[in-house]
Amino acid sequence: MTATIDILDRPILRIRETCEMVGADEKFNRALPELETYLEAEVAAGETSETRLTYHGLCFLKQTFEKY
């Protein structure tokens, strides 16, 4: 049995667009698997707000980009 988490589509799209606007699309592509895992954990913890998922995802990427 497989399930698709559609709630992540919109936040990831918004984060992708934000990264493209600031020229960080290459970093975004490298960090995407980690971002998806992070956001899935947020949803599993009960977060369902697309706005909050987007914000938390951007904060996560900020920390992740510092590693690259």
Side-chain angles (χ1 to χ4, degrees):
M1 219 163 67
T2 60
T4 304
I5 302 175
D6 294 321
I7 195 167
L8 297 180
D9 292 343
R10 186 80 168 146
I12 289 175
L13 177 64
R14 289 177 178 169
I15 294 167
R16 179 187 307 270
E17 290 171 349
T18 302
C19 288
E20 288 173 355
M21 284 190 284
V22 297
D25 47 335
E26 184 178 316
K27 288 181 180 180
F28 171 82
N29 290 331
R30 282 190 299 204
L32 183 57
E34 292 176 64
L35 174 64
E36 289 174 334
T37 301
Y38 174 78
L39 292 177
E40 286 170 357
E42 290 286 305
V43 170
E47 184 59 67
T48 58
S49 167
E50 291 180 359
T51 303
R52 291 190 57 82
L53 288 169
T54 301
Y55 174 75
H56 288 282
L58 286 168
C59 292
F60 173 80
L61 281 184
K62 182 181 179 218
Q63 293 174 349
T64 303
F65 288 174
E66 291 173 0
K67 292 189 278 184
Y68 298 131

Short mmCIF file of all heavy atoms in Angstrom, two decimals:
data_model
loop_
_atom_site.label_atom_id
_atom_site.label_comp_id
_atom_site.label_asym_id
_atom_site.label_seq_id
_atom_site.Cartn_x
_atom_site.Cartn_y
_atom_site.Cartn_z
N MET A 1 0.83 -1.17 0.00
CA MET A 1 0.00 0.00 0.00
C MET A 1 0.89 1.25 0.00
O MET A 1 1.81 1.36 0.79
CB MET A 1 -0.86 0.00 1.26
CG MET A 1 -2.23 0.47 1.00
SD MET A 1 -3.42 0.04 2.27
CE MET A 1 -2.91 0.97 3.65
N THR A 2 0.61 2.19 -0.89
CA THR A 2 1.36 3.44 -0.91
C THR A 2 0.40 4.61 -0.76
O THR A 2 -0.76 4.53 -1.15
CB THR A 2 2.14 3.61 -2.23
OG1 THR A 2 1.20 3.61 -3.31
CG2 THR A 2 3.14 2.48 -2.43
N ALA A 3 0.92 5.65 -0.19
CA ALA A 3 0.11 6.86 0.00
C ALA A 3 0.89 8.05 -0.52
O ALA A 3 2.11 8.11 -0.39
CB ALA A 3 -0.22 7.05 1.46
N THR A 4 0.19 8.98 -1.10
CA THR A 4 0.80 10.20 -1.59
C THR A 4 0.45 11.34 -0.64
O THR A 4 -0.71 11.49 -0.25
CB THR A 4 0.27 10.55 -2.99
OG1 THR A 4 0.52 9.43 -3.85
CG2 THR A 4 0.95 11.76 -3.55
N ILE A 5 1.45 12.11 -0.28
CA ILE A 5 1.21 13.25 0.60
C ILE A 5 1.10 14.50 -0.27
O ILE A 5 2.08 15.10 -0.66
CB ILE A 5 2.34 13.40 1.64
CG1 ILE A 5 2.46 12.15 2.47
CG2 ILE A 5 2.09 14.63 2.52
CD1 ILE A 5 3.61 12.15 3.45
N ASP A 6 -0.14 14.84 -0.62
CA ASP A 6 -0.39 15.99 -1.49
C ASP A 6 -0.20 17.31 -0.77
O ASP A 6 0.00 18.34 -1.42
CB ASP A 6 -1.80 15.92 -2.07
CG ASP A 6 -1.97 14.74 -3.00
OD1 ASP A 6 -1.04 14.42 -3.76
OD2 ASP A 6 -3.05 14.14 -2.97
N ILE A 7 -0.26 17.30 0.53
CA ILE A 7 -0.17 18.53 1.30
C ILE A 7 1.19 19.21 1.11
O ILE A 7 1.33 20.40 1.30
CB ILE A 7 -0.48 18.29 2.79
CG1 ILE A 7 -0.74 19.61 3.49
CG2 ILE A 7 0.63 17.53 3.47
CD1 ILE A 7 -1.34 19.47 4.86
N LEU A 8 2.20 18.46 0.69
CA LEU A 8 3.54 19.01 0.53
C LEU A 8 3.76 19.66 -0.83
O LEU A 8 4.72 20.40 -1.00
CB LEU A 8 4.59 17.91 0.74
CG LEU A 8 4.64 17.28 2.11
CD1 LEU A 8 5.73 16.22 2.17
CD2 LEU A 8 4.85 18.32 3.18
N ASP A 9 2.90 19.38 -1.79
CA ASP A 9 3.10 19.90 -3.14
C ASP A 9 3.19 21.42 -3.18
O ASP A 9 4.12 21.99 -3.76
CB ASP A 9 1.99 19.43 -4.09
CG ASP A 9 2.05 17.93 -4.34
OD1 ASP A 9 3.10 17.31 -4.06
OD2 ASP A 9 1.03 17.39 -4.82
N ARG A 10 2.23 22.08 -2.59
CA ARG A 10 2.18 23.55 -2.62
C ARG A 10 3.35 24.19 -1.87
O ARG A 10 4.00 25.09 -2.41
CB ARG A 10 0.83 24.02 -2.07
CG ARG A 10 0.61 25.48 -2.18
CD ARG A 10 0.18 25.86 -3.57
NE ARG A 10 -0.28 27.24 -3.52
CZ ARG A 10 -0.13 28.07 -4.50
NH1 ARG A 10 0.39 27.67 -5.63
NH2 ARG A 10 -0.53 29.30 -4.38
N PRO A 11 3.66 23.77 -0.63
CA PRO A 11 4.81 24.37 0.05
C PRO A 11 6.12 24.16 -0.70
O PRO A 11 6.93 25.09 -0.79
CB PRO A 11 4.83 23.65 1.41
CG PRO A 11 3.43 23.22 1.63
CD PRO A 11 2.91 22.89 0.27
N ILE A 12 6.33 22.97 -1.26
CA ILE A 12 7.57 22.73 -1.99
C ILE A 12 7.63 23.60 -3.24
O ILE A 12 8.69 24.14 -3.58
CB ILE A 12 7.73 21.23 -2.32
CG1 ILE A 12 8.02 20.47 -1.03
CG2 ILE A 12 8.84 21.00 -3.34
CD1 ILE A 12 8.09 18.96 -1.17
N LEU A 13 6.51 23.79 -3.91
CA LEU A 13 6.47 24.67 -5.08
C LEU A 13 6.81 26.10 -4.69
O LEU A 13 7.61 26.77 -5.36
CB LEU A 13 5.09 24.62 -5.74
CG LEU A 13 4.89 25.55 -6.92
CD1 LEU A 13 5.81 25.17 -8.07
CD2 LEU A 13 3.44 25.51 -7.38
N ARG A 14 6.25 26.57 -3.60
CA ARG A 14 6.54 27.93 -3.13
C ARG A 14 8.01 28.08 -2.75
O ARG A 14 8.65 29.09 -3.06
CB ARG A 14 5.68 28.27 -1.92
CG ARG A 14 4.24 28.48 -2.23
CD ARG A 14 3.47 28.73 -0.96
NE ARG A 14 2.07 28.97 -1.22
CZ ARG A 14 1.15 29.01 -0.27
NH1 ARG A 14 1.49 28.84 0.99
NH2 ARG A 14 -0.10 29.23 -0.58
N ILE A 15 8.56 27.08 -2.09
CA ILE A 15 9.97 27.12 -1.70
C ILE A 15 10.86 27.11 -2.94
O ILE A 15 11.83 27.85 -3.02
CB ILE A 15 10.29 25.95 -0.75
CG1 ILE A 15 9.54 26.13 0.57
CG2 ILE A 15 11.79 25.85 -0.51
CD1 ILE A 15 9.53 24.89 1.46
N ARG A 16 10.51 26.27 -3.91
CA ARG A 16 11.27 26.21 -5.17
C ARG A 16 11.28 27.58 -5.86
O ARG A 16 12.32 28.06 -6.30
CB ARG A 16 10.70 25.16 -6.11
CG ARG A 16 11.43 25.06 -7.45
CD ARG A 16 10.73 24.13 -8.42
NE ARG A 16 10.48 22.82 -7.89
CZ ARG A 16 11.32 21.79 -7.98
NH1 ARG A 16 12.48 21.94 -8.59
NH2 ARG A 16 10.99 20.62 -7.47
N GLU A 17 10.11 28.21 -5.95
CA GLU A 17 10.01 29.52 -6.59
C GLU A 17 10.84 30.56 -5.86
O GLU A 17 11.51 31.39 -6.48
CB GLU A 17 8.55 29.95 -6.66
CG GLU A 17 7.72 29.15 -7.63
CD GLU A 17 6.23 29.44 -7.54
OE1 GLU A 17 5.79 30.11 -6.58
OE2 GLU A 17 5.50 28.98 -8.44
N THR A 18 10.83 30.51 -4.54
CA THR A 18 11.62 31.45 -3.73
C THR A 18 13.10 31.25 -4.00
O THR A 18 13.84 32.22 -4.19
CB THR A 18 11.31 31.27 -2.24
OG1 THR A 18 9.91 31.48 -2.03
CG2 THR A 18 12.11 32.25 -1.40
N CYS A 19 13.53 30.00 -4.04
CA CYS A 19 14.95 29.71 -4.29
C CYS A 19 15.35 30.16 -5.69
O CYS A 19 16.46 30.67 -5.88
CB CYS A 19 15.22 28.22 -4.10
SG CYS A 19 15.18 27.70 -2.38
N GLU A 20 14.48 29.98 -6.66
CA GLU A 20 14.77 30.43 -8.02
C GLU A 20 14.91 31.94 -8.08
O GLU A 20 15.78 32.47 -8.79
CB GLU A 20 13.69 29.95 -8.99
CG GLU A 20 13.75 28.46 -9.26
CD GLU A 20 12.59 27.95 -10.09
OE1 GLU A 20 11.65 28.72 -10.38
OE2 GLU A 20 12.61 26.75 -10.42
N MET A 21 14.08 32.65 -7.33
CA MET A 21 14.14 34.11 -7.33
C MET A 21 15.45 34.64 -6.78
O MET A 21 15.91 35.71 -7.20
CB MET A 21 12.97 34.70 -6.53
CG MET A 21 11.66 34.66 -7.26
SD MET A 21 10.38 35.63 -6.42
CE MET A 21 9.94 34.55 -5.07
N VAL A 22 16.03 33.92 -5.84
CA VAL A 22 17.28 34.40 -5.23
C VAL A 22 18.50 33.70 -5.81
O VAL A 22 19.61 33.88 -5.31
CB VAL A 22 17.26 34.25 -3.69
CG1 VAL A 22 16.17 35.11 -3.09
CG2 VAL A 22 17.13 32.81 -3.26
N GLY A 23 18.31 32.90 -6.85
CA GLY A 23 19.43 32.25 -7.52
C GLY A 23 19.99 31.04 -6.79
O GLY A 23 21.15 30.69 -6.97
N ALA A 24 19.18 30.42 -5.96
CA ALA A 24 19.65 29.27 -5.19
C ALA A 24 19.00 27.97 -5.67
O ALA A 24 18.88 27.02 -4.91
CB ALA A 24 19.35 29.48 -3.71
N ASP A 25 18.63 27.93 -6.95
CA ASP A 25 17.93 26.75 -7.45
C ASP A 25 18.82 25.51 -7.47
O ASP A 25 18.35 24.40 -7.24
CB ASP A 25 17.30 27.00 -8.82
CG ASP A 25 18.21 27.66 -9.81
OD1 ASP A 25 19.15 28.36 -9.40
OD2 ASP A 25 17.99 27.49 -11.02
N GLU A 26 20.12 25.65 -7.68
CA GLU A 26 21.02 24.50 -7.66
C GLU A 26 21.12 23.92 -6.24
O GLU A 26 21.06 22.71 -6.05
CB GLU A 26 22.41 24.90 -8.15
CG GLU A 26 23.37 23.73 -8.25
CD GLU A 26 24.72 24.14 -8.78
OE1 GLU A 26 24.76 24.90 -9.76
OE2 GLU A 26 25.72 23.69 -8.19
N LYS A 27 21.24 24.80 -5.27
CA LYS A 27 21.27 24.35 -3.87
C LYS A 27 19.95 23.69 -3.50
O LYS A 27 19.92 22.69 -2.77
CB LYS A 27 21.54 25.53 -2.93
CG LYS A 27 22.95 26.05 -3.00
CD LYS A 27 23.11 27.19 -2.02
CE LYS A 27 24.51 27.75 -2.02
NZ LYS A 27 24.67 28.85 -1.06
N PHE A 28 18.85 24.26 -3.98
CA PHE A 28 17.53 23.68 -3.70
C PHE A 28 17.46 22.25 -4.22
O PHE A 28 17.01 21.36 -3.51
CB PHE A 28 16.42 24.53 -4.34
CG PHE A 28 15.07 23.88 -4.26
CD1 PHE A 28 14.32 23.97 -3.11
CD2 PHE A 28 14.56 23.15 -5.32
CE1 PHE A 28 13.07 23.35 -3.01
CE2 PHE A 28 13.33 22.53 -5.24
CZ PHE A 28 12.58 22.63 -4.09
N ASN A 29 17.90 22.04 -5.45
CA ASN A 29 17.83 20.70 -6.05
C ASN A 29 18.65 19.70 -5.25
O ASN A 29 18.24 18.54 -5.10
CB ASN A 29 18.29 20.74 -7.50
CG ASN A 29 17.28 21.46 -8.38
OD1 ASN A 29 16.09 21.46 -8.12
ND2 ASN A 29 17.77 22.10 -9.43
N ARG A 30 19.81 20.12 -4.74
CA ARG A 30 20.63 19.21 -3.93
C ARG A 30 19.98 18.91 -2.59
O ARG A 30 20.11 17.80 -2.06
CB ARG A 30 22.01 19.81 -3.68
CG ARG A 30 22.93 19.69 -4.87
CD ARG A 30 24.32 20.07 -4.48
NE ARG A 30 24.31 21.46 -4.01
CZ ARG A 30 25.35 22.25 -4.01
NH1 ARG A 30 26.51 21.82 -4.43
NH2 ARG A 30 25.26 23.49 -3.58
N ALA A 31 19.29 19.89 -2.03
CA ALA A 31 18.70 19.73 -0.69
C ALA A 31 17.28 19.17 -0.73
O ALA A 31 16.71 18.88 0.34
CB ALA A 31 18.71 21.07 0.03
N LEU A 32 16.70 19.01 -1.90
CA LEU A 32 15.30 18.59 -2.01
C LEU A 32 14.98 17.28 -1.26
O LEU A 32 13.98 17.24 -0.54
CB LEU A 32 14.87 18.49 -3.47
CG LEU A 32 13.41 18.13 -3.72
CD1 LEU A 32 12.47 19.12 -3.04
CD2 LEU A 32 13.13 18.06 -5.21
N PRO A 33 15.78 16.23 -1.38
CA PRO A 33 15.44 15.01 -0.63
C PRO A 33 15.40 15.24 0.88
O PRO A 33 14.50 14.74 1.57
CB PRO A 33 16.56 14.02 -1.00
CG PRO A 33 17.07 14.51 -2.31
CD PRO A 33 16.93 16.00 -2.26
N GLU A 34 16.35 16.01 1.40
CA GLU A 34 16.36 16.32 2.84
C GLU A 34 15.14 17.17 3.22
O GLU A 34 14.55 16.97 4.28
CB GLU A 34 17.62 17.09 3.22
CG GLU A 34 18.90 16.29 3.11
CD GLU A 34 20.10 17.15 3.39
OE1 GLU A 34 20.23 17.64 4.53
OE2 GLU A 34 20.91 17.34 2.47
N LEU A 35 14.79 18.12 2.35
CA LEU A 35 13.64 18.98 2.61
C LEU A 35 12.36 18.17 2.65
O LEU A 35 11.52 18.36 3.54
CB LEU A 35 13.54 20.07 1.53
CG LEU A 35 12.29 20.95 1.58
CD1 LEU A 35 12.27 21.77 2.87
CD2 LEU A 35 12.24 21.85 0.35
N GLU A 36 12.19 17.26 1.70
CA GLU A 36 10.99 16.42 1.68
C GLU A 36 10.88 15.59 2.95
O GLU A 36 9.80 15.48 3.54
CB GLU A 36 11.00 15.52 0.44
CG GLU A 36 10.76 16.28 -0.84
CD GLU A 36 10.91 15.40 -2.07
OE1 GLU A 36 11.64 14.38 -2.01
OE2 GLU A 36 10.29 15.74 -3.10
N THR A 37 11.99 15.01 3.38
CA THR A 37 12.00 14.21 4.61
C THR A 37 11.63 15.07 5.81
O THR A 37 10.83 14.66 6.66
CB THR A 37 13.38 13.56 4.82
OG1 THR A 37 13.68 12.74 3.69
CG2 THR A 37 13.42 12.73 6.08
N TYR A 38 12.20 16.27 5.87
CA TYR A 38 11.91 17.18 6.96
C TYR A 38 10.42 17.55 6.99
O TYR A 38 9.77 17.51 8.04
CB TYR A 38 12.77 18.44 6.84
CG TYR A 38 12.42 19.50 7.85
CD1 TYR A 38 12.85 19.39 9.16
CD2 TYR A 38 11.63 20.59 7.49
CE1 TYR A 38 12.51 20.35 10.11
CE2 TYR A 38 11.29 21.55 8.43
CZ TYR A 38 11.74 21.43 9.73
OH TYR A 38 11.39 22.37 10.66
N LEU A 39 9.87 17.91 5.83
CA LEU A 39 8.47 18.31 5.78
C LEU A 39 7.53 17.14 6.07
O LEU A 39 6.47 17.33 6.69
CB LEU A 39 8.15 18.95 4.42
CG LEU A 39 8.81 20.30 4.16
CD1 LEU A 39 8.47 20.78 2.74
CD2 LEU A 39 8.38 21.33 5.19
N GLU A 40 7.91 15.95 5.64
CA GLU A 40 7.10 14.78 5.96
C GLU A 40 7.04 14.57 7.47
O GLU A 40 5.99 14.20 8.01
CB GLU A 40 7.66 13.54 5.26
CG GLU A 40 7.39 13.53 3.77
CD GLU A 40 8.14 12.43 3.03
OE1 GLU A 40 8.94 11.70 3.67
OE2 GLU A 40 7.95 12.32 1.82
N ALA A 41 8.15 14.80 8.15
CA ALA A 41 8.18 14.68 9.61
C ALA A 41 7.29 15.74 10.25
O ALA A 41 6.61 15.47 11.25
CB ALA A 41 9.61 14.80 10.12
N GLU A 42 7.29 16.94 9.68
CA GLU A 42 6.42 18.01 10.20
C GLU A 42 4.95 17.61 10.07
O GLU A 42 4.16 17.81 10.99
CB GLU A 42 6.68 19.32 9.44
CG GLU A 42 8.01 19.96 9.72
CD GLU A 42 8.03 20.62 11.09
OE1 GLU A 42 7.16 21.46 11.36
OE2 GLU A 42 8.93 20.28 11.87
N VAL A 43 4.59 17.04 8.92
CA VAL A 43 3.20 16.60 8.71
C VAL A 43 2.87 15.47 9.67
O VAL A 43 1.79 15.44 10.27
CB VAL A 43 2.98 16.17 7.24
CG1 VAL A 43 1.63 15.50 7.06
CG2 VAL A 43 3.09 17.38 6.31
N ALA A 44 3.80 14.54 9.85
CA ALA A 44 3.57 13.42 10.78
C ALA A 44 3.38 13.92 12.21
O ALA A 44 2.65 13.30 13.00
CB ALA A 44 4.74 12.45 10.72
N ALA A 45 4.00 15.06 12.53
CA ALA A 45 3.86 15.64 13.86
C ALA A 45 2.57 16.44 14.01
O ALA A 45 2.28 16.99 15.07
CB ALA A 45 5.06 16.52 14.19
N GLY A 46 1.80 16.55 12.92
CA GLY A 46 0.50 17.20 12.99
C GLY A 46 0.39 18.54 12.30
O GLY A 46 -0.68 19.14 12.30
N GLU A 47 1.46 19.03 11.69
CA GLU A 47 1.39 20.33 10.99
C GLU A 47 0.68 20.14 9.65
O GLU A 47 1.09 19.30 8.85
CB GLU A 47 2.79 20.88 10.77
CG GLU A 47 2.80 22.26 10.14
CD GLU A 47 2.06 23.28 11.00
OE1 GLU A 47 2.54 23.58 12.10
OE2 GLU A 47 1.00 23.75 10.55
N THR A 48 -0.36 20.92 9.40
CA THR A 48 -1.11 20.81 8.15
C THR A 48 -1.22 22.14 7.42
O THR A 48 -1.71 22.17 6.29
CB THR A 48 -2.53 20.26 8.41
OG1 THR A 48 -3.20 21.14 9.32
CG2 THR A 48 -2.48 18.85 8.97
N SER A 49 -0.79 23.21 8.01
CA SER A 49 -0.88 24.52 7.39
C SER A 49 0.18 24.66 6.30
O SER A 49 1.38 24.52 6.56
CB SER A 49 -0.67 25.62 8.43
OG SER A 49 -0.46 26.87 7.80
N GLU A 50 -0.26 24.93 5.06
CA GLU A 50 0.67 25.09 3.96
C GLU A 50 1.62 26.27 4.20
O GLU A 50 2.80 26.19 3.88
CB GLU A 50 -0.07 25.28 2.64
CG GLU A 50 -0.79 24.05 2.16
CD GLU A 50 -1.52 24.27 0.85
OE1 GLU A 50 -1.49 25.39 0.31
OE2 GLU A 50 -2.12 23.30 0.37
N THR A 51 1.11 27.32 4.79
CA THR A 51 1.94 28.50 5.07
C THR A 51 3.03 28.17 6.08
O THR A 51 4.20 28.53 5.89
CB THR A 51 1.07 29.66 5.58
OG1 THR A 51 0.05 29.95 4.61
CG2 THR A 51 1.90 30.91 5.83
N ARG A 52 2.66 27.48 7.14
CA ARG A 52 3.66 27.12 8.16
C ARG A 52 4.66 26.10 7.62
O ARG A 52 5.84 26.18 7.93
CB ARG A 52 2.97 26.60 9.42
CG ARG A 52 2.23 27.72 10.14
CD ARG A 52 1.73 27.33 11.51
NE ARG A 52 2.75 26.86 12.42
CZ ARG A 52 3.56 27.67 13.13
NH1 ARG A 52 3.46 28.96 12.99
NH2 ARG A 52 4.44 27.15 13.96
N LEU A 53 4.20 25.16 6.79
CA LEU A 53 5.12 24.21 6.18
C LEU A 53 6.11 24.92 5.27
O LEU A 53 7.29 24.58 5.25
CB LEU A 53 4.35 23.13 5.42
CG LEU A 53 3.61 22.11 6.27
CD1 LEU A 53 2.67 21.28 5.40
CD2 LEU A 53 4.58 21.22 7.03
N THR A 54 5.63 25.91 4.53
CA THR A 54 6.52 26.69 3.66
C THR A 54 7.55 27.43 4.50
O THR A 54 8.75 27.39 4.21
CB THR A 54 5.70 27.69 2.81
OG1 THR A 54 4.74 26.97 2.02
CG2 THR A 54 6.61 28.50 1.90
N TYR A 55 7.10 28.09 5.56
CA TYR A 55 8.01 28.84 6.42
C TYR A 55 9.04 27.92 7.07
O TYR A 55 10.24 28.21 7.04
CB TYR A 55 7.21 29.59 7.50
CG TYR A 55 8.10 30.26 8.50
CD1 TYR A 55 8.78 31.43 8.17
CD2 TYR A 55 8.29 29.73 9.77
CE1 TYR A 55 9.61 32.05 9.09
CE2 TYR A 55 9.11 30.35 10.69
CZ TYR A 55 9.77 31.51 10.35
OH TYR A 55 10.60 32.10 11.26
N HIS A 56 8.58 26.82 7.63
CA HIS A 56 9.50 25.88 8.27
C HIS A 56 10.48 25.30 7.25
O HIS A 56 11.65 25.09 7.56
CB HIS A 56 8.74 24.76 8.98
CG HIS A 56 8.04 25.20 10.22
ND1 HIS A 56 8.69 25.42 11.41
CD2 HIS A 56 6.74 25.49 10.45
CE1 HIS A 56 7.83 25.81 12.32
NE2 HIS A 56 6.62 25.87 11.76
N GLY A 57 9.99 25.04 6.05
CA GLY A 57 10.85 24.52 5.00
C GLY A 57 11.93 25.52 4.60
O GLY A 57 13.09 25.15 4.40
N LEU A 58 11.56 26.79 4.50
CA LEU A 58 12.55 27.82 4.17
C LEU A 58 13.59 27.97 5.28
O LEU A 58 14.79 28.12 5.01
CB LEU A 58 11.86 29.16 3.91
CG LEU A 58 11.12 29.26 2.58
CD1 LEU A 58 10.25 30.51 2.56
CD2 LEU A 58 12.10 29.25 1.41
N CYS A 59 13.15 27.89 6.53
CA CYS A 59 14.09 27.95 7.66
C CYS A 59 15.04 26.75 7.63
O CYS A 59 16.25 26.89 7.86
CB CYS A 59 13.34 27.99 8.98
SG CYS A 59 12.42 29.52 9.25
N PHE A 60 14.50 25.59 7.32
CA PHE A 60 15.32 24.39 7.23
C PHE A 60 16.36 24.54 6.11
O PHE A 60 17.53 24.19 6.29
CB PHE A 60 14.43 23.17 6.97
CG PHE A 60 15.19 21.91 6.69
CD1 PHE A 60 15.74 21.17 7.73
CD2 PHE A 60 15.37 21.46 5.40
CE1 PHE A 60 16.45 20.02 7.48
CE2 PHE A 60 16.08 20.30 5.14
CZ PHE A 60 16.62 19.57 6.18
N LEU A 61 15.93 25.06 4.97
CA LEU A 61 16.86 25.23 3.85
C LEU A 61 17.95 26.24 4.17
O LEU A 61 19.10 26.07 3.76
CB LEU A 61 16.12 25.66 2.58
CG LEU A 61 15.41 24.56 1.83
CD1 LEU A 61 14.81 25.11 0.53
CD2 LEU A 61 16.31 23.39 1.52
N LYS A 62 17.61 27.28 4.89
CA LYS A 62 18.62 28.27 5.28
C LYS A 62 19.75 27.58 6.03
O LYS A 62 20.93 27.82 5.75
CB LYS A 62 18.00 29.37 6.12
CG LYS A 62 18.98 30.43 6.52
CD LYS A 62 18.33 31.50 7.39
CE LYS A 62 19.39 32.51 7.75
NZ LYS A 62 19.24 33.00 9.10
N GLN A 63 19.40 26.73 6.97
CA GLN A 63 20.41 25.99 7.73
C GLN A 63 21.15 25.00 6.85
O GLN A 63 22.36 24.84 6.96
CB GLN A 63 19.76 25.26 8.90
CG GLN A 63 19.20 26.17 9.95
CD GLN A 63 18.43 25.40 11.01
OE1 GLN A 63 18.14 24.23 10.87
NE2 GLN A 63 18.11 26.09 12.10
N THR A 64 20.42 24.35 5.95
CA THR A 64 21.03 23.36 5.06
C THR A 64 21.99 24.02 4.08
O THR A 64 23.07 23.49 3.81
CB THR A 64 19.94 22.59 4.31
OG1 THR A 64 19.05 21.99 5.25
CG2 THR A 64 20.53 21.52 3.42
N PHE A 65 21.63 25.19 3.56
CA PHE A 65 22.48 25.89 2.59
C PHE A 65 23.81 26.31 3.21
O PHE A 65 24.80 26.41 2.50
CB PHE A 65 21.76 27.10 2.02
CG PHE A 65 20.65 26.78 1.05
CD1 PHE A 65 19.86 27.80 0.56
CD2 PHE A 65 20.40 25.49 0.64
CE1 PHE A 65 18.84 27.53 -0.35
CE2 PHE A 65 19.38 25.21 -0.26
CZ PHE A 65 18.60 26.23 -0.75
N GLU A 66 23.82 26.52 4.50
CA GLU A 66 25.05 26.89 5.17
C GLU A 66 26.07 25.75 5.10
O GLU A 66 27.28 26.01 5.17
CB GLU A 66 24.78 27.31 6.61
CG GLU A 66 24.02 28.61 6.71
CD GLU A 66 23.58 28.97 8.12
OE1 GLU A 66 23.87 28.18 9.05
OE2 GLU A 66 22.96 30.02 8.28
N LYS A 67 25.61 24.52 4.96
CA LYS A 67 26.50 23.36 4.85
C LYS A 67 27.15 23.28 3.46
O LYS A 67 28.20 22.72 3.33
CB LYS A 67 25.74 22.06 5.11
CG LYS A 67 25.29 21.91 6.55
CD LYS A 67 24.75 20.51 6.78
CE LYS A 67 23.33 20.39 6.32
NZ LYS A 67 22.72 19.10 6.60
N TYR A 68 26.47 23.83 2.45
CA TYR A 68 26.98 23.73 1.08
C TYR A 68 27.93 24.84 0.80
O TYR A 68 28.04 25.74 0.36
CB TYR A 68 25.84 23.71 0.06
CG TYR A 68 24.91 22.53 0.21
CD1 TYR A 68 23.54 22.71 0.23
CD2 TYR A 68 25.39 21.24 0.32
CE1 TYR A 68 22.67 21.63 0.34
CE2 TYR A 68 24.54 20.17 0.45
CZ TYR A 68 23.18 20.37 0.46
OH TYR A 68 22.33 19.32 0.58
#
